[in-house]
Amino acid sequence: MKADIARPAGRGYRWRLLASALFGGLATAAVAAPALTALYADPAHPDLSGVWMVTGYFSFDPAGKLPELRPPYDAIYARRMQAFKAGRPVDDVTADCLPPGMPHIQVVPYPFEIVQTPGRVLLLFEYSGQVRRIYTDGRQPPDDDASYYGFSTGHWEGDTLVVQTLNIRADTQVDFTGLPHSDALRITERWRRLDASTLSDTITLEDDKAYARPFTVERRYALKPDWTIGEYVCEENNRNQTGPDGATGFGVPSPGKP
């Protein structure tokens, strides 16, 4: 025999239940919504903003792994590595205060600041005052000439910002060791905040001319809430200018010399 269960009767009770569920849910959502800040104005998406510093070694892959290079890029890298180990790196455009390009800028040992707004994510680097713009407004990459950082478009997949970068200049290096790429380089990034103080960027390089297969590395960045992005003027105190032999110099210039 079923036990009798007392149930409140009437439409008033049902409306009270509905109102409680509806407005209670809205109140919970309002509490959970991220707060807007000077760097974050995109409440429809997860907050990636802040000042961040790369962790780990400053080669593209902190573990030292390399993509499988096709000829002639394998020979180019061998020559650059020989010069690098000898303390006289070559072919490095940053020695003459030119931008490091992508993806090199993401592993330089300087902080960067992320500003996130609807339709755009800005990465403001302390290194030489460089800027990356990631467009998240649905636009398509234009048929432009190649540039140091290429053209970046992004979209959100859940809590992950997926970024595609095309049209990158071929005369830059992937990192300070001289790892080369061609003008066919395509970069896919997956940016995600792992916790309050850790940001992850999974970077995949695809280059049919230079690499035998795609090469993927995860880089992580630590939040530096008390840091301020400083001024960096390479031309004002350049200690690494390229010499007549094409090699990069080191150290403080001698008096009376540039």
Side-chain angles (χ1 to χ4, degrees):
M1 184 172 84
K2 292 183 179 179
D4 290 333
I5 301 175
R7 296 182 179 86
R11 289 185 301 173
Y13 174 74
R14 290 195 294 271
W15 277 112
R16 286 195 297 273
L17 280 179
L18 178 61
S20 175
L22 176 62
F23 294 110
L26 290 176
T28 300
V31 170
L36 303 186
T37 69
L39 302 181
Y40 176 69
D42 187 19
H45 299 109
D47 182 4
L48 304 181
S49 68
V51 175
W52 302 94
M53 181 68 185
V54 68
T55 62
Y57 193 53
F58 304 125
S59 58
F60 179 62
D61 185 336
K65 296 180 181 178
L66 298 170
E68 184 179 343
L69 294 167
R70 298 181 186 273
Y73 296 93
D74 52 354
I76 292 172
Y77 187 57
R79 176 178 60 84
R80 289 177 177 176
M81 275 302 295
Q82 183 178 15
F84 178 79
K85 291 177 179 179
R88 299 287 288 173
V90 295
D91 303 336
D92 184 359
V93 298
T94 66
D96 294 317
C97 293
L98 293 172
M102 269 293 289
H104 191 171
I105 190 67
Q106 292 300 156
V107 297
V108 296
Y110 292 86
F112 63 95
E113 185 172 57
I114 293 182
V115 180
Q116 185 178 337
T117 64
R120 190 171 303 183
V121 177
L122 300 177
L123 283 71
L124 311 177
F125 294 87
E126 181 171 293
Y127 184 93
S128 205
Q130 299 297 296
V131 179
R132 280 190 70 198
R133 294 174 177 85
I134 301 172
Y135 298 98
T136 58
D137 55 5
R139 72 181 68 187
Q140 297 299 309
D143 187 17
D144 282 349
D145 293 334
S147 61
Y148 286 99
Y149 299 115
F151 194 90
S152 297
T153 56
H155 66 275
W156 289 90
E157 295 181 0
D159 63 353
T160 301
L161 176 62
V162 182
V163 181
Q164 296 277 343
T165 302
L166 307 172
N167 295 334
I168 302 167
R169 288 177 56 138
D171 59 346
T172 62
Q173 302 179 357
V174 171
D175 61 18
F176 71 94
T177 70
L179 183 61
H181 65 84
S182 80
D183 59 355
L185 178 64
R186 304 182 307 278
I187 301 177
T188 301
E189 296 170 274
R190 300 183 66 86
W191 289 90
R192 187 166 68 94
R193 198 161 187 162
L194 301 181
D195 55 45
S197 58
T198 310
L199 188 64
S200 169
D201 184 16
T202 300
I203 311 171
T204 298
L205 308 183
E206 297 178 85
D207 189 331
D208 295 338
K209 294 181 181 179
Y211 307 149
R213 57 186 55 84
F215 184 65
T216 299
V217 167
E218 183 197 15
R219 295 310 308 247
R220 293 190 178 187
Y221 306 89
L223 183 67
K224 301 296 180 181
D226 299 324
W227 287 17
T228 300
I229 299 297
E231 185 177 73
Y232 182 127
V233 183
C234 175
E235 294 85 353
E236 190 173 74
N237 188 28
N238 185 10
R239 303 181 179 188
N240 307 111
Q241 290 176 312
T242 301
D245 60 353
T248 299
F250 287 96
V252 179
S254 301
K257 295 184 179 181

